[in-house]
């Protein structure tokens, strides 16, 4: 039974291309990765993602400033998500959410994107298997397999997904997109595989409040693992039992 | 029991041609709407990243739910052995298939990538209720067509009860699947409930019979066939019972939700503050779609009046109006109410978090919905023209030899 779309010929072909690309690009990428993100290691071309790691994010809400949207701009730029001036139908992979507690008057501002759940409802409901979770915990949409039924958007508790309502222009080669399909935050999988961290995390560190930390939740020596072990952190809607890979501190 | 004679309708009258032309027009207009939407993108629809399923899904759900319900008339005859319904079996099967085809046309053409429907055929995620539904829908058509053939082929008639039972169980599974599309959505407060499956089954009984009644009355009127008051009374009162069952499940749905403080927000929205959704719930679903038909079908017999074809037709139309109201509130109202990501907090963002989403049906969407209805209509219209689906007479004497003793029974 064909359960995961495995095609040996296709895989061999892709591996060959990936290997060639890897030989050409890897040295530079690895150097960049080491310089930028000591905790994320580049995945060798042709090697499948491993469940020995789980990519995740820790967002310190105390350091996230209201009005700052560096993470959002960086995401738009990185993934080529320029809108059409129609907020109801333009895609948003990450947005700043303002929270007000009516009982205490407390205000909070935080970024929300795909939470990369361990048990993602979008993957459960997808009829074609286009929504899938990689072994390393990154939830993605195979945009060649997505039929645009939007059931994943109905199922996602985080409103993380967008339907591409219009023709896509000026696509980035690392982020293929298509009208009529659904998409969401990829955790900048193209950067992560090259040993870098997501664009939003980079931007937040450079010109934002330094609120976002990216890393491997399964590596006990990673900075993110140390912090989630040391400080109280929260997931959004933990009651749903989805175990999101994005955690928040001081929420 | 007397032998029932079936015959094709003549299908050469101006009325037939006019109706066929009208349905054809709506069908092609629906296809044109799809081509337009697919070409420019779905931003021209009323849909958005907030309300992802719009009015086409209301039409599709109506047709699919009504399809399994339309089959009930045949089930009552084959499985529950009510001989009075025997002459109605064939039309019941035809209508069930026709409605499902119309619904599927809308579902498939409302996809972002309808051209990739083959992808859905080749790649299945068996944890998805959608993937299961694809089997349930195609299986339904195969089973009902077989069931119909067993009815129409005299030598095979003895297998009808078995096929009827298979069809009955299958249609229960199908409607359970349709309701569960919503029932499994854990994050959406308006849906996440096991009651969706039985509610949808109840809805199917009611909507399906309402459509059946209208089609039967129109076909008999158009082809000059008589329907006796025995049958009208049965069909009318049965519809009333089904309407009451839907009302019951709706009451349970909202009362249990109201009991949980966490769901009070969405209940307030639907029942009190939701504007068009509140109006459609109380005015459309409850008053027009349930109370009025109940008064019509049960009130007239209390006063010793006969249930006429006109009364049954009006009651059926009201039930269908109520059905669209109910599905609009359920499908679109349920999405318009925002996701509760941070319980107890007031939330806002550039992505409409915490805000009631607006949705206005667009012309292409309504066109697609009506196109699906038109396809169902065309299948029925040409079905009864080409094959023997309709009994030549449904007069009391023709369908029930004991009609003089049964007319006083409910």
């Amino acid at each position: 039974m064909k359960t995961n779309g495995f095609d040996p010929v296709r895989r061999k072909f892709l591996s060959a291309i990936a290997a060639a690309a890897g030989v050409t690009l890897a040295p530079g990428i690895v150097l960049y990765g080491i310089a930028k993100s000591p905790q994320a290691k580049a995945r060798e071309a042709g090697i499948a993602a491993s469940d020995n790691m789980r990519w995740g994010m820790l967002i310190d809400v105390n350091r996230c400033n209201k009005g700052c949207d560096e993470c959002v701009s960086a995401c738009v730029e990185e993934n080529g998500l320029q809108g059409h001036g129609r907020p109801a139908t333009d895609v948003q992979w990450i947005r700043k959410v303002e929270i007000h507690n009516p009982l205490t008057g407390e205000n909070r501002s935080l970024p929300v994107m795909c939470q990369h759940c361990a048990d993602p409802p979008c993957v459960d409901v997808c009829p074609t298997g286009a929504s899938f979770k990689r072994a390393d915990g990154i939830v993605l949409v195979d945009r060649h397999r997505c039929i645009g039924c939007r059931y994943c958007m109905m199922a996602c508790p985080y409103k993380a997904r967008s339907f591409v309502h219009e023709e896509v222009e000026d696509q980035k080669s690392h982020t293929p997109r298509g009208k009529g399909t659904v998409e969401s935050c990829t955790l900048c999988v193209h950067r992560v595989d090259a040993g870098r961290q997501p664009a939003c995390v980079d931007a937040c560190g450079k010109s934002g409040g330094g609120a976002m930390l990216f890393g491997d939740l399964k590596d006990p020596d990673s900075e993110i693992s140390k912090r989630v072990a040391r400080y109280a952190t929260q997931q959004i809607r933990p009651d749903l039992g989805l175990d999101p890979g994005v955690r928040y501190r001081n929420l | 029991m007397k032998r029932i004679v079936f015959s094709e309708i003549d299908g050469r009258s101006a009325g037939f041609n006019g109706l066929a032309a009208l349905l054809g027009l709506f069908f092609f207009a629906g296809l044109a709407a799809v081509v337009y939407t697919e070409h420019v993108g779905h931003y021209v629809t009323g849909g958005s990243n907030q309300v992802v399923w719009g009015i086409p899904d209301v039409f599709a759900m109506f047709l699919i739910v009504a399809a399994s319900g339309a089959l009930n008339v045949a089930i009552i005859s084959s499985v529950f052995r009510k001989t009075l319904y025997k002459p109605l079996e064939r039309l019941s099967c035809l209508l069930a298939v026709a409605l499902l085809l119309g619904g599927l046309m809308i579902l498939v053409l409302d996809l972002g990538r309808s051209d990739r429907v083959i992808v859905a055929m080749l790649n299945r995620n068996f944890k998805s209720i959608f993937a299961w539904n694809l089997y349930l829908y195609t299986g339904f058509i195969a089973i009902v067509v077989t069931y119909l053939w067993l009815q129409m082929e005299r030598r095979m008639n003895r297998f009808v009860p078995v096929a009827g039972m298979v069809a009955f169980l299958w249609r229960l599974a199908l409607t359970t699947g349709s309701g569960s599309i919503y029932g499994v959505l854990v994050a959406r407060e308006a849906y996440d409930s096991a009651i969706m499956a039985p509610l949808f089954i109840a809805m199917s009984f009611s909507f399906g019979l309402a459509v059946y009644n209208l089609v039967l009355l129109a076909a008999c009127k158009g082809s000059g066939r008589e329907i006796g008051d025995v049958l009208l009374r049965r069909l009318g009162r049965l519809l009333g019972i089904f309407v009451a069952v839907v009302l019951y499940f709706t009451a349970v749905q909202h009362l249990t939700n109201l009991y949980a403080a966490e769901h009070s927000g969405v209940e307030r929205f639907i029942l009190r503050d939701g504007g068009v959704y509140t109006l459609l719930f109380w005015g459309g679903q409850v008053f027009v779609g349930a109370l009025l038909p109940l008064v019509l079908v049960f009130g007239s017999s209390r006063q010793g009046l006969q249930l006429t074809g006109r009364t049954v037709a009006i009651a059926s139309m009201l039930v269908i109006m109520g059905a669209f109201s109910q599905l609009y509130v359920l499908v679109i109202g349920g999405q318009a109410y925002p996701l509760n990501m941070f319980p107890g907090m007031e939330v806002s963002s550039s992505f409409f978090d915490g805000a009631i989403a607006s949705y206005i049906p667009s012309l292409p969407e309504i066109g697609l919905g009506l196109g699906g209805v038109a396809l169902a209509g065309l299948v029925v219209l040409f079905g009864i023209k080409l094959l023997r689906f309709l009994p030549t007479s449904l007069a009391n004497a023709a369908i029930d030899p004991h009609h003089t003793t049964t007319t006083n029974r409910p």
Side-chain angles (χ1 to χ4, degrees):
Chain A
M1 193 173 76
K2 191 175 169 186
T3 52
N4 58 1
F6 177 75
D7 178 343
V9 177
R10 184 166 165 230
R11 175 162 287 188
K12 210 170 171 185
F13 174 69
L14 289 175
S15 302
I17 291 181
V23 168
T24 318
L25 300 173
I29 290 168
V30 170
L31 274 178
Y32 186 75
I34 289 167
K36 288 290 172 189
S37 170
Q39 46 196 289
K41 290 192 281 285
R43 188 158 60 86
E44 277 182 59
I47 304 294
S50 158
D51 62 2
N52 290 329
M53 49 181 62
R54 181 173 183 211
W55 296 120
M57 212 185 269
L58 176 62
I59 297 167
D60 186 344
V61 180
N62 272 357
R63 302 179 75 168
C64 183
N65 305 317
K66 185 180 167 116
C68 171
D69 63 354
E70 291 293 332
C71 54
V72 178
S73 312
C75 176
V76 168
E77 179 59 33
E78 176 71 21
N79 295 296
L81 305 180
Q82 281 74 17
H84 300 83
R86 284 184 269 270
T89 51
D90 282 344
V91 303
Q92 292 202 31
W93 288 11
I94 179 172
R95 79 271 188 190
K96 282 295 294 291
V97 174
E98 312 299 327
I99 301 176
H100 171 72
N101 187 335
L103 298 178
T104 63
E106 180 196 8
N107 291 305
R108 282 274 179 264
S109 179
L110 66 154
V112 175
M113 73 297 276
C114 171
Q115 303 287 296
H116 299 280
C117 306
D119 292 302
C122 55
V123 173
D124 288 345
V125 302
C126 177
T128 64
S131 273
F132 68 102
K133 189 183 73 165
R134 244 169 54 150
D136 56 7
I138 301 178
V139 176
L140 296 168
V141 181
D142 179 342
R143 268 153 289 179
H144 294 289
R145 204 187 264 201
C146 175
I147 56 172
C149 73
R150 320 190 278 289
Y151 198 15
C152 55
M153 299 174 74
M154 292 289 279
C156 175
Y158 306 107
K159 201 168 183 284
R161 292 207 157 174
S162 292
F163 180 65
V164 183
H165 284 79
E166 302 185 50
E167 204 68 62
V168 178
E169 280 154 13
D170 300 326
Q171 295 191 44
K172 305 281 183 182
S173 57
H174 53 250
T175 311
R177 305 176 59 216
K179 178 178 75 176
T181 62
V182 174
E183 55 186 36
S184 59
C185 159
T186 63
L187 217 57
C188 281
V189 66
H190 57 285
R191 292 169 68 115
V192 172
D193 282 347
R196 299 163 67 195
Q197 54 186 3
C200 55
V201 179
D202 257 359
C204 185
K206 277 184 199 146
S207 40
M212 302 170 94
L213 175 67
F214 171 80
D216 179 6
L217 287 163
K218 279 191 179 170
D219 174 4
D221 296 327
S222 70
E223 184 60 26
I224 190 169
S225 291
K226 288 178 189 165
R227 286 205 209 168
V228 295
R230 187 167 172 195
Y231 304 111
T233 59
Q234 268 183 289
Q235 297 164 320
I236 304 180
R237 291 297 306 266
D239 57 312
L240 296 174
L242 307 173
D243 184 15
V246 178
R247 305 188 75 98
Y248 293 82
R249 191 180 158 202
N250 298 313
L251 182 59
Chain B
M1 153 160 206
K2 288 186 185 173
R3 187 172 164 221
I4 310 152
V5 182
F6 291 88
S7 71
E8 301 90 343
I9 62 165
D10 184 38
R12 279 179 297 193
S13 67
F16 179 92
N17 291 333
L19 185 57
L22 189 70
L23 291 172
L25 188 72
F26 274 108
F27 175 68
F28 285 108
L31 293 185
V34 171
V35 172
Y36 170 66
T37 308
E38 295 288 309
H39 182 67
V40 297
H42 278 240
Y43 84 94
V44 294
T45 68
S48 63
N49 287 323
Q50 290 58 250
V51 177
V52 303
W53 289 348
I55 195 96
D57 291 274
V58 172
F59 275 96
M61 290 322 293
F62 173 79
L63 291 170
I64 289 169
V65 166
S68 55
L71 190 67
N72 274 340
V73 176
I75 303 291
I76 293 170
S77 164
S78 313
V79 179
F80 299 101
R81 309 292 173 101
K82 300 286 181 198
T83 49
L84 196 70
Y85 290 83
K86 191 82 192 159
L88 309 179
E89 270 181 336
R90 295 183 181 183
L91 182 65
S92 165
C93 293
L94 173 67
L95 188 57
V97 171
L99 290 170
L100 191 67
L101 286 174
L104 287 181
M105 169 188 149
I106 299 171
L107 269 195
V108 168
L109 296 181
D110 187 49
L111 294 174
R113 294 294 304 262
S114 307
D115 54 315
R116 284 188 186 164
V117 73
I118 189 75
V119 174
M121 299 291 170
L122 298 176
N123 300 286
R124 296 284 172 90
N125 166 26
F126 286 98
K127 208 174 173 188
S128 167
I129 197 83
F130 251 21
W132 277 97
N133 279 348
L134 289 175
Y135 282 112
L136 291 168
Y137 297 152
T138 46
F140 181 83
I141 292 174
I143 288 170
V144 175
V145 168
T146 310
Y147 177 33
L148 183 61
W149 174 70
L150 296 174
Q151 290 163 22
M152 295 177 97
E153 173 56 62
R154 196 163 291 277
R155 287 168 301 173
M156 293 294 177
N157 282 175
R158 65 182 187 279
F159 298 114
V160 166
V162 178
M165 181 55 89
V166 173
F168 180 48
L169 295 175
W170 196 273
R171 64 121 305 178
L172 289 178
L174 186 147
T175 328
T176 301
S178 305
S180 299
I181 290 174
Y182 297 91
V184 301
L185 295 174
V186 292
R188 302 222 177 226
E189 293 177 76
Y191 303 135
D192 172 33
S193 165
I195 204 167
M196 284 298 160
L199 172 66
F200 268 61
I201 290 176
M203 285 154 65
S204 78
F205 282 22
S206 169
F207 304 173
L209 187 60
V211 176
Y212 186 91
N213 287 346
L214 280 181
V215 169
L216 180 72
L217 287 163
C220 287
K221 192 175 167 64
S223 59
R225 293 162 205 235
E226 192 185 340
I227 307 183
D229 58 354
V230 172
L231 195 62
L232 282 173
R233 195 177 156 92
R234 286 288 179 96
L235 291 173
R237 296 188 63 133
L238 190 61
L239 181 66
I241 292 166
F242 290 161
V243 165
V245 175
V246 175
L247 206 53
Y248 164 77
F249 276 109
T250 305
V252 174
Q253 176 200 3
H254 289 291
L255 286 173
T256 48
N257 243 2
L258 277 169
Y259 208 85
E262 61 171 325
H263 296 311
S264 59
V266 70
E267 286 302 322
R268 266 202 304 275
F269 175 67
I270 299 290
L271 302 178
R272 199 186 71 194
D273 307 327
V276 66
Y277 305 107
T278 303
L279 181 70
L280 283 173
F281 177 79
W282 291 110
Q285 181 185 341
V286 176
F287 184 72
V288 172
L291 298 181
L292 276 185
L294 283 174
V295 169
L296 272 178
V297 296
F298 291 121
S300 54
S301 56
R302 271 181 71 88
Q303 292 159 20
L305 300 172
Q306 291 290 352
L307 258 183
T308 61
R310 183 187 294 262
T311 315
V312 174
I314 292 172
S316 299
M317 272 189 252
L318 292 174
V319 169
I320 291 171
M321 286 163 71
F324 273 91
S325 303
Q326 181 172 8
L327 286 166
Y328 196 92
V329 172
L330 186 96
V331 175
I332 295 168
Q335 296 174 78
Y337 189 76
L339 284 166
N340 191 12
M341 257 194 296
F342 301 96
M345 303 287 175
E346 289 169 5
V347 180
S348 64
S349 79
S350 62
F351 206 42
F352 305 93
D353 287 285
I356 304 291
S358 78
Y359 174 82
I360 299 164
S362 65
L363 197 58
E365 291 175 288
I366 296 171
L368 171 58
L370 292 175
V373 175
L375 174 65
L378 285 168
V379 171
V380 172
L381 194 65
F382 283 96
I384 58 175
K385 179 184 161 76
L386 297 172
L387 291 170
R388 294 171 184 168
F389 284 105
L390 276 183
T392 48
S393 171
L394 290 166
N396 294 351
I399 56 168
D400 182 2
H402 310 297
H403 72 95
T404 48
T405 55
T406 54
T407 44
N408 294 326
R409 280 214 318 256

